[in-house]
Amino acid sequence: MSTDSSVNSPEKPESTFGKRVRNFLIVMVAIALSVSLVFGLRTETTSATLAKLSETSTPLEVAVSNGKPSLVEFYADWCTVCQKMAPDMTQLETEYADKMNFVMLNVDNTKWLPEMLKYRVDGIPHFVFLSQQGETIAQAIGDQPRTIMASNLEALVTGSSLPYAQASGKVSKFSAPVAPTAPTASQDDPRSHGSQVVN
């Protein structure tokens, strides 16, 4: 009978206290892990990755003259597609850093307007593949899967034709600002219709 009485007896105060301490510790650990996760996600953002890519970017002037092939990316910090691709581009840059140049040109910087007009950038990200001599080989616009970018970069490094040249994916729309031209005296005269005729 003594075994039945111990089974049906109420719990001892020590075991209740031990459960409370254990539950309290579990709650504290869960809170600590949640806080760590939130702060970790805040510090590891894709815009920071774009900033890192921009910081490690080869200057365009160096890229077209140092004898290595180059990948030029037109991007913007606000571009969601650019942000999405940034982790893949970071991995590719790490993998190919010693074999080629990675150039990042921010479309919000008017310094790059001549290049934006030259390559007809109307959506970003806009990628331009340059040969060792700095000549344009191909372009790709929009979201590109990592495997496609890797195949193109491998071909660029080996001097082969790019397997996915002229590729297009999802883009963030962008219009390059066109600087107004200075008015001339003939343009101000409404009777000078000849200036409107293009030969």
Side-chain angles (χ1 to χ4, degrees), residues 24-102:
F24 177 76
L25 289 175
I26 290 172
V27 168
M28 294 307 293
V29 168
I31 290 172
L33 288 173
S34 298
V35 168
S36 299
L37 182 63
V38 167
F39 282 119
L41 290 175
R42 279 195 180 162
T43 58
E44 184 60 36
T45 61
T46 54
S47 62
T49 305
L50 281 173
K52 179 184 168 198
L53 281 170
S54 178
E55 288 173 12
T56 60
S57 169
T58 305
L60 182 62
E61 303 79 31
V62 173
V64 296
S65 63
N66 69 0
K68 290 183 181 179
S70 302
L71 174 67
V72 178
E73 178 181 352
F74 290 92
Y75 77 102
D77 293 328
W78 50 262
C79 169
T80 56
V81 180
C82 303
Q83 293 168 2
K84 177 183 175 268
M85 288 189 66
D88 287 341
M89 295 307 296
T90 301
Q91 290 175 353
L92 290 169
E93 181 178 2
T94 302
E95 187 176 335
Y96 289 95
D98 57 338
K99 302 173 188 173
M100 61 180 295
N101 303 305
F102 286 83

Coordinates of all heavy atoms in Angstrom, one line a residue, residues 24-102:
F24 N 11.5 29.1 -16.1 CA 12.1 30.4 -16.1 C 13.3 30.5 -17.0 O 13.5 31.4 -17.8 CB 12.3 30.9 -14.7 CG 12.9 32.3 -14.7 CD1 12.2 33.4 -14.9 CD2 14.3 32.5 -14.4 CE1 12.7 34.7 -14.9 CE2 14.9 33.7 -14.4 CZ 14.1 34.8 -14.6
L25 N 14.2 29.5 -16.8 CA 15.5 29.5 -17.6 C 15.1 29.3 -19.1 O 15.8 29.9 -20.0 CB 16.4 28.4 -17.1 CG 17.1 28.7 -15.8 CD1 17.9 27.5 -15.3 CD2 17.9 29.9 -15.9
I26 N 14.2 28.5 -19.4 CA 13.8 28.2 -20.8 C 13.3 29.5 -21.4 O 13.6 29.9 -22.6 CB 12.8 27.1 -20.9 CG1 13.4 25.8 -20.6 CG2 12.1 27.1 -22.3 CD1 12.5 24.6 -20.5
V27 N 12.4 30.3 -20.7 CA 11.9 31.5 -21.2 C 13.0 32.5 -21.4 O 13.0 33.2 -22.4 CB 10.8 32.1 -20.2 CG1 10.5 33.5 -20.5 CG2 9.6 31.2 -20.3
M28 N 13.9 32.6 -20.5 CA 15.1 33.6 -20.6 C 15.9 33.3 -21.8 O 16.3 34.1 -22.6 CB 15.9 33.6 -19.3 CG 15.2 34.1 -18.1 SD 14.4 35.8 -18.4 CE 15.8 36.8 -18.6
V29 N 16.2 32.0 -22.1 CA 17.0 31.6 -23.2 C 16.3 31.9 -24.5 O 16.9 32.4 -25.5 CB 17.4 30.1 -23.1 CG1 18.0 29.6 -24.4 CG2 18.4 29.9 -22.0
A30 N 15.0 31.6 -24.5 CA 14.2 31.9 -25.7 C 14.2 33.4 -26.0 O 14.3 33.8 -27.2 CB 12.7 31.4 -25.6
I31 N 14.0 34.2 -25.0 CA 14.1 35.7 -25.2 C 15.4 36.1 -25.7 O 15.5 36.9 -26.6 CB 13.7 36.4 -23.9 CG1 12.2 36.2 -23.6 CG2 14.0 37.9 -24.0 CD1 11.8 36.7 -22.2
A32 N 16.5 35.6 -25.1 CA 17.8 36.0 -25.6 C 18.1 35.6 -27.0 O 18.7 36.3 -27.8 CB 18.9 35.3 -24.6
L33 N 17.6 34.4 -27.4 CA 17.8 33.9 -28.8 C 17.0 34.8 -29.7 O 17.4 35.2 -30.8 CB 17.4 32.5 -28.9 CG 18.4 31.5 -28.3 CD1 17.8 30.1 -28.4 CD2 19.7 31.5 -29.0
S34 N 15.8 35.2 -29.3 CA 14.9 36.1 -30.2 C 15.6 37.4 -30.4 O 15.6 37.9 -31.5 CB 13.6 36.2 -29.6 OG 12.9 35.0 -29.5
V35 N 16.1 38.0 -29.3 CA 16.8 39.3 -29.4 C 18.0 39.2 -30.3 O 18.2 40.0 -31.2 CB 17.1 39.8 -28.0 CG1 18.0 41.0 -28.1 CG2 15.8 40.2 -27.3
S36 N 18.8 38.1 -30.2 CA 20.0 37.9 -31.0 C 19.6 37.8 -32.5 O 20.3 38.4 -33.3 CB 20.7 36.7 -30.6 OG 21.2 36.8 -29.2
L37 N 18.5 37.1 -32.7 CA 18.1 36.9 -34.1 C 17.6 38.2 -34.7 O 18.0 38.5 -35.9 CB 16.9 35.9 -34.2 CG 16.4 35.5 -35.5 CD1 17.4 34.9 -36.4 CD2 15.2 34.6 -35.4
V38 N 16.9 39.0 -34.0 CA 16.4 40.3 -34.5 C 17.6 41.2 -34.8 O 17.7 41.8 -35.9 CB 15.4 40.9 -33.5 CG1 15.2 42.4 -33.9 CG2 14.1 40.2 -33.5
F39 N 18.5 41.3 -33.9 CA 19.7 42.2 -34.1 C 20.6 41.7 -35.2 O 21.1 42.4 -36.0 CB 20.5 42.4 -32.8 CG 19.9 43.4 -31.9 CD1 19.5 43.0 -30.6 CD2 19.7 44.7 -32.3 CE1 18.9 43.9 -29.7 CE2 19.1 45.6 -31.4 CZ 18.7 45.2 -30.1
G40 N 20.7 40.3 -35.3 CA 21.5 39.8 -36.4 C 20.9 40.0 -37.7 O 21.6 40.3 -38.7
L41 N 19.6 40.0 -37.9 CA 18.9 40.2 -39.2 C 19.0 41.7 -39.5 O 19.1 42.1 -40.7 CB 17.5 39.8 -39.1 CG 17.3 38.3 -39.1 CD1 15.8 38.0 -39.0 CD2 17.8 37.6 -40.3
R42 N 19.0 42.6 -38.5 CA 19.1 44.0 -38.8 C 20.4 44.4 -39.3 O 20.6 45.3 -40.2 CB 18.7 44.8 -37.5 CG 17.3 45.0 -37.3 CD 17.0 46.1 -36.3 NE 15.6 46.2 -36.1 CZ 15.1 46.8 -35.1 NH1 15.8 47.3 -34.2 NH2 13.8 46.8 -35.0
T43 N 21.5 43.8 -38.8 CA 22.8 44.2 -39.2 C 23.2 43.6 -40.5 O 24.0 44.1 -41.2 CB 23.8 43.8 -38.1 OG1 23.8 42.4 -37.9 CG2 23.6 44.6 -36.8
E44 N 22.6 42.4 -40.9 CA 22.9 41.8 -42.1 C 21.8 42.0 -43.1 O 20.9 41.3 -43.4 CB 23.1 40.3 -41.9 CG 23.5 39.5 -43.1 CD 24.8 39.9 -43.7 OE1 25.7 40.3 -42.9 OE2 24.9 39.9 -44.9
T45 N 21.9 43.2 -43.8 CA 20.8 43.6 -44.8 C 21.5 43.5 -46.1 O 22.7 43.7 -46.3 CB 20.3 45.0 -44.5 OG1 21.3 45.9 -44.6 CG2 19.6 45.1 -43.1
T46 N 20.6 43.4 -47.2 CA 21.1 43.4 -48.5 C 21.7 44.8 -49.0 O 22.5 44.8 -49.8 CB 20.0 42.9 -49.5 OG1 18.9 43.8 -49.3 CG2 19.7 41.5 -49.3
S47 N 21.1 45.9 -48.4 CA 21.7 47.2 -48.8 C 23.1 47.3 -48.3 O 24.0 47.9 -48.9 CB 20.9 48.3 -48.2 OG 20.8 48.3 -46.8
A48 N 23.4 46.7 -47.1 CA 24.8 46.6 -46.7 C 25.7 45.8 -47.7 O 26.8 46.1 -47.9 CB 24.9 46.0 -45.3
T49 N 25.1 44.8 -48.2 CA 25.8 44.0 -49.2 C 26.1 44.8 -50.5 O 27.2 44.7 -51.0 CB 25.0 42.7 -49.5 OG1 24.8 42.0 -48.3 CG2 25.8 41.8 -50.4
L50 N 25.1 45.6 -50.9 CA 25.3 46.4 -52.1 C 26.4 47.5 -51.7 O 27.3 47.8 -52.6 CB 24.0 47.2 -52.5 CG 23.0 46.4 -53.3 CD1 21.7 47.1 -53.4 CD2 23.6 46.0 -54.6
A51 N 26.4 48.0 -50.5 CA 27.4 49.0 -50.1 C 28.8 48.3 -50.1 O 29.8 48.9 -50.6 CB 27.1 49.5 -48.8
K52 N 28.8 47.1 -49.6 CA 30.1 46.3 -49.6 C 30.6 46.1 -51.0 O 31.8 46.2 -51.3 CB 29.9 45.0 -48.9 CG 31.2 44.2 -48.8 CD 30.9 42.8 -48.2 CE 32.1 41.9 -48.4 NZ 31.8 40.5 -48.2
L53 N 29.7 45.7 -51.9 CA 30.1 45.5 -53.3 C 30.6 46.8 -53.9 O 31.6 46.7 -54.7 CB 28.9 45.0 -54.1 CG 28.5 43.5 -54.0 CD1 27.2 43.2 -54.6 CD2 29.6 42.6 -54.6
S54 N 30.0 47.9 -53.6 CA 30.4 49.1 -54.2 C 31.8 49.5 -53.6 O 32.6 50.1 -54.4 CB 29.4 50.2 -53.8 OG 29.8 51.5 -54.3
E55 N 32.0 49.3 -52.4 CA 33.3 49.6 -51.7 C 34.5 48.8 -52.4 O 35.6 49.3 -52.5 CB 33.3 49.4 -50.2 CG 32.4 50.4 -49.5 CD 32.3 50.0 -48.0 OE1 33.0 49.1 -47.5 OE2 31.4 50.6 -47.4
T56 N 34.2 47.5 -52.7 CA 35.2 46.7 -53.2 C 35.3 46.7 -54.7 O 36.1 46.0 -55.3 CB 35.0 45.2 -52.8 OG1 33.8 44.8 -53.2 CG2 35.1 45.1 -51.3
S57 N 34.5 47.5 -55.3 CA 34.4 47.7 -56.8 C 35.7 48.2 -57.4 O 36.3 49.1 -56.8 CB 33.2 48.6 -57.1 OG 33.3 48.9 -58.5
T58 N 36.1 47.7 -58.5 CA 37.2 48.2 -59.3 C 36.8 49.5 -60.0 O 35.7 49.5 -60.6 CB 37.7 47.2 -60.3 OG1 38.0 46.0 -59.7 CG2 38.9 47.7 -61.1
P59 N 37.5 50.6 -59.9 CA 37.1 51.8 -60.6 C 37.1 51.5 -62.1 O 37.9 50.8 -62.7 CB 38.2 52.8 -60.3 CG 38.9 52.3 -59.0 CD 38.7 50.8 -59.1
L60 N 36.1 52.1 -62.8 CA 35.9 51.9 -64.2 C 37.1 52.2 -65.1 O 37.5 51.4 -66.0 CB 34.7 52.7 -64.8 CG 34.4 52.5 -66.2 CD1 34.0 51.0 -66.5 CD2 33.2 53.4 -66.6
E61 N 37.8 53.3 -64.7 CA 39.0 53.6 -65.5 C 40.1 52.6 -65.4 O 40.8 52.3 -66.4 CB 39.6 55.0 -64.9 CG 38.6 56.1 -64.9 CD 37.6 56.1 -63.8 OE1 37.9 55.6 -62.7 OE2 36.5 56.6 -64.0
V62 N 40.2 51.9 -64.2 CA 41.2 50.9 -64.0 C 40.8 49.6 -64.8 O 41.6 48.9 -65.4 CB 41.4 50.6 -62.5 CG1 42.3 49.4 -62.3 CG2 42.0 51.8 -61.8
A63 N 39.5 49.3 -64.7 CA 39.0 48.1 -65.3 C 39.1 48.0 -66.8 O 39.4 47.0 -67.3 CB 37.5 47.9 -64.9
V64 N 39.0 49.1 -67.5 CA 39.1 49.1 -68.9 C 40.5 49.2 -69.4 O 40.8 49.0 -70.6 CB 38.3 50.3 -69.6 CG1 36.8 50.1 -69.3 CG2 38.8 51.6 -69.1
S65 N 41.5 49.3 -68.4 CA 42.9 49.4 -68.9 C 43.8 48.4 -68.2 O 45.0 48.4 -68.6 CB 43.4 50.8 -68.6 OG 43.4 51.1 -67.2
N66 N 43.4 47.5 -67.3 CA 44.3 46.7 -66.6 C 44.5 45.3 -67.3 O 45.1 44.4 -66.7 CB 43.9 46.5 -65.2 CG 42.7 45.8 -64.9 OD1 42.0 45.3 -65.8 ND2 42.3 45.6 -63.6
G67 N 43.9 45.0 -68.4 CA 44.1 43.8 -69.1 C 43.3 42.6 -68.6 O 43.5 41.5 -69.1
K68 N 42.3 42.9 -67.7 CA 41.4 41.8 -67.3 C 40.0 42.0 -67.8 O 39.6 43.2 -68.0 CB 41.3 41.8 -65.7 CG 42.5 41.4 -65.0 CD 42.2 41.4 -63.5 CE 43.4 41.0 -62.6 NZ 43.0 41.1 -61.2
P69 N 39.3 40.9 -68.1 CA 37.9 41.1 -68.4 C 37.1 41.8 -67.3 O 37.6 41.7 -66.1 CB 37.4 39.7 -68.8 CG 38.3 38.8 -68.1 CD 39.6 39.5 -68.0
S70 N 36.0 42.4 -67.6 CA 35.2 43.1 -66.5 C 33.7 42.8 -66.6 O 33.2 42.6 -67.7 CB 35.5 44.6 -66.6 OG 36.8 44.9 -66.5
L71 N 33.1 42.9 -65.5 CA 31.6 42.9 -65.4 C 31.3 44.2 -64.8 O 31.7 44.5 -63.6 CB 31.1 41.7 -64.5 CG 29.6 41.8 -64.3 CD1 28.8 41.5 -65.6 CD2 29.2 40.7 -63.2
V72 N 30.5 45.0 -65.5 CA 30.1 46.3 -65.0 C 28.6 46.1 -64.7 O 27.8 45.7 -65.5 CB 30.2 47.4 -66.1 CG1 29.7 48.7 -65.6 CG2 31.7 47.5 -66.5
E73 N 28.2 46.5 -63.4 CA 26.8 46.4 -63.0 C 26.3 47.8 -62.7 O 26.9 48.6 -61.9 CB 26.7 45.6 -61.8 CG 25.3 45.5 -61.3 CD 25.1 44.7 -60.0 OE1 26.0 44.0 -59.6 OE2 23.9 44.8 -59.4
F74 N 25.3 48.2 -63.4 CA 24.6 49.5 -63.1 C 23.5 49.1 -62.1 O 22.7 48.2 -62.3 CB 23.9 50.1 -64.4 CG 24.9 50.6 -65.3 CD1 25.4 49.8 -66.4 CD2 25.3 51.9 -65.3 CE1 26.3 50.3 -67.3 CE2 26.2 52.5 -66.2 CZ 26.8 51.6 -67.2
Y75 N 23.5 49.8 -61.0 CA 22.6 49.4 -59.9 C 22.1 50.7 -59.1 O 22.6 51.8 -59.5 CB 23.3 48.5 -58.9 CG 24.3 49.3 -58.0 CD1 23.9 49.6 -56.7 CD2 25.5 49.8 -58.4 CE1 24.7 50.4 -55.8 CE2 26.3 50.5 -57.6 CZ 26.0 50.8 -56.3 OH 26.8 51.5 -55.5
A76 N 21.3 50.5 -58.2 CA 20.9 51.6 -57.2 C 20.5 51.0 -55.9 O 20.1 49.8 -55.8 CB 19.6 52.4 -57.8
D77 N 20.8 51.7 -54.8 CA 20.5 51.2 -53.5 C 19.0 50.8 -53.3 O 18.7 49.9 -52.6 CB 20.9 52.2 -52.4 CG 22.5 52.3 -52.4 OD1 23.2 51.3 -52.7 OD2 22.9 53.4 -52.1
W78 N 18.1 51.5 -54.0 CA 16.7 51.3 -53.9 C 16.2 50.2 -54.7 O 15.0 49.8 -54.6 CB 15.9 52.6 -54.2 CG 16.3 53.2 -55.5 CD1 17.2 54.3 -55.7 CD2 15.9 52.9 -56.8 NE1 17.3 54.6 -57.0 CE2 16.5 53.7 -57.7 CE3 15.0 51.9 -57.3 CZ2 16.3 53.6 -59.1 CZ3 14.8 51.8 -58.7 CH2 15.5 52.7 -59.5
C79 N 17.0 49.7 -55.6 CA 16.6 48.6 -56.5 C 16.4 47.3 -55.8 O 17.4 46.7 -55.3 CB 17.6 48.5 -57.6 SG 17.5 47.1 -58.7
T80 N 15.2 46.8 -55.8 CA 14.9 45.5 -55.1 C 15.5 44.3 -55.8 O 16.0 43.4 -55.1 CB 13.4 45.3 -54.9 OG1 12.8 45.3 -56.2 CG2 12.7 46.4 -54.0
V81 N 15.6 44.4 -57.1 CA 16.2 43.3 -57.8 C 17.7 43.3 -57.5 O 18.3 42.2 -57.3 CB 15.9 43.4 -59.3 CG1 16.6 42.2 -60.1 CG2 14.4 43.4 -59.6
C82 N 18.3 44.4 -57.5 CA 19.8 44.5 -57.2 C 20.0 44.0 -55.8 O 21.0 43.3 -55.6 CB 20.2 46.0 -57.3 SG 20.0 46.8 -58.8
Q83 N 19.2 44.3 -54.8 CA 19.3 43.9 -53.5 C 19.2 42.3 -53.4 O 19.9 41.7 -52.7 CB 18.3 44.5 -52.6 CG 18.5 46.0 -52.4 CD 17.2 46.6 -51.7 OE1 16.3 46.0 -51.4 NE2 17.3 48.0 -51.5
K84 N 18.2 41.8 -54.2 CA 18.0 40.4 -54.2 C 19.3 39.6 -54.8 O 19.6 38.6 -54.3 CB 16.8 40.0 -55.1 CG 16.5 38.6 -55.2 CD 15.3 38.3 -56.1 CE 15.1 36.9 -56.4 NZ 15.8 36.4 -57.6
M85 N 19.9 40.2 -55.8 CA 21.0 39.6 -56.4 C 22.4 39.8 -55.7 O 23.3 39.1 -55.9 CB 21.2 40.1 -57.9 CG 20.1 39.6 -58.8 SD 20.5 40.0 -60.5 CE 22.0 39.0 -60.8
A86 N 22.4 40.8 -54.8 CA 23.6 41.1 -54.1 C 24.4 40.0 -53.4 O 25.6 39.8 -53.6 CB 23.4 42.3 -53.1
P87 N 23.7 39.1 -52.7 CA 24.4 38.0 -52.1 C 25.1 37.1 -53.1 O 26.2 36.6 -52.9 CB 23.3 37.2 -51.3 CG 22.3 38.2 -51.0 CD 22.3 39.1 -52.2
D88 N 24.4 36.8 -54.2 CA 25.0 36.0 -55.3 C 26.2 36.7 -55.9 O 27.2 36.1 -56.2 CB 24.0 35.6 -56.4 CG 23.0 34.6 -55.9 OD1 23.2 33.9 -54.9 OD2 21.9 34.5 -56.5
M89 N 26.0 38.0 -56.2 CA 27.1 38.7 -56.8 C 28.3 38.8 -55.8 O 29.5 38.8 -56.3 CB 26.6 40.2 -57.1 CG 25.5 40.2 -58.2 SD 26.0 39.3 -59.7 CE 27.4 40.2 -60.3
T90 N 28.1 38.9 -54.5 CA 29.2 38.9 -53.6 C 29.9 37.5 -53.7 O 31.2 37.5 -53.7 CB 28.7 39.1 -52.2 OG1 28.0 40.3 -52.1 CG2 29.8 39.1 -51.1
Q91 N 29.2 36.4 -53.7 CA 29.9 35.1 -53.9 C 30.7 35.0 -55.2 O 31.8 34.5 -55.2 CB 28.8 34.0 -53.8 CG 28.2 33.8 -52.4 CD 27.1 32.8 -52.4 OE1 26.7 32.3 -53.4 NE2 26.6 32.5 -51.2
L92 N 30.1 35.5 -56.3 CA 30.8 35.4 -57.6 C 32.0 36.3 -57.6 O 33.0 35.9 -58.1 CB 29.8 35.8 -58.7 CG 28.7 34.8 -59.0 CD1 27.7 35.4 -59.9 CD2 29.3 33.5 -59.6
E93 N 31.9 37.5 -56.9 CA 33.1 38.3 -56.9 C 34.2 37.7 -56.1 O 35.4 37.7 -56.5 CB 32.7 39.7 -56.2 CG 33.9 40.6 -56.2 CD 33.5 42.0 -55.6 OE1 32.4 42.2 -55.2 OE2 34.4 42.8 -55.5
T94 N 33.8 37.0 -55.0 CA 34.8 36.3 -54.2 C 35.5 35.2 -55.0 O 36.7 35.0 -55.0 CB 34.2 35.7 -52.9 OG1 33.6 36.8 -52.2 CG2 35.2 35.0 -52.1
E95 N 34.7 34.5 -55.8 CA 35.2 33.4 -56.6 C 36.1 33.8 -57.8 O 37.0 33.2 -58.1 CB 34.0 32.6 -57.1 CG 34.3 31.3 -57.8 CD 33.1 30.5 -58.2 OE1 32.0 30.7 -57.6 OE2 33.2 29.8 -59.2
Y96 N 35.7 35.0 -58.4 CA 36.4 35.4 -59.6 C 37.3 36.6 -59.4 O 37.8 37.2 -60.4 CB 35.4 35.7 -60.7 CG 34.8 34.4 -61.3 CD1 33.6 34.0 -60.8 CD2 35.4 33.7 -62.3 CE1 33.0 32.8 -61.3 CE2 34.8 32.5 -62.8 CZ 33.6 32.1 -62.3 OH 33.1 30.9 -62.8
A97 N 37.5 37.1 -58.2 CA 38.2 38.3 -57.9 C 39.6 38.4 -58.5 O 40.0 39.5 -59.0 CB 38.2 38.6 -56.4
D98 N 40.3 37.4 -58.5 CA 41.7 37.4 -59.1 C 41.7 37.3 -60.6 O 42.8 37.5 -61.2 CB 42.5 36.3 -58.4 CG 42.0 34.9 -58.6 OD1 40.8 34.8 -58.9 OD2 42.8 34.0 -58.5
K99 N 40.6 36.9 -61.2 CA 40.6 36.7 -62.7 C 40.0 37.8 -63.5 O 40.2 37.9 -64.7 CB 39.8 35.4 -63.0 CG 40.4 34.2 -62.3 CD 39.5 33.0 -62.5 CE 39.9 31.8 -61.6 NZ 38.9 30.7 -61.7
M100 N 39.2 38.6 -62.8 CA 38.5 39.7 -63.5 C 38.1 40.8 -62.6 O 38.2 40.8 -61.4 CB 37.2 39.1 -64.2 CG 36.2 38.5 -63.2 SD 34.7 37.9 -64.0 CE 34.0 39.4 -64.7
N101 N 37.6 41.9 -63.2 CA 37.2 43.1 -62.5 C 35.7 43.1 -62.3 O 34.9 42.7 -63.2 CB 37.5 44.4 -63.3 CG 39.0 44.5 -63.6 OD1 39.8 44.4 -62.7 ND2 39.3 44.6 -64.9
F102 N 35.2 43.6 -61.1 CA 33.8 43.8 -60.9 C 33.7 45.3 -60.6 O 34.3 45.9 -59.7 CB 33.4 43.0 -59.6 CG 33.2 41.6 -59.9 CD1 34.3 40.7 -59.9 CD2 32.0 41.0 -60.2 CE1 34.2 39.4 -60.1 CE2 31.9 39.7 -60.5 CZ 33.0 38.8 -60.4

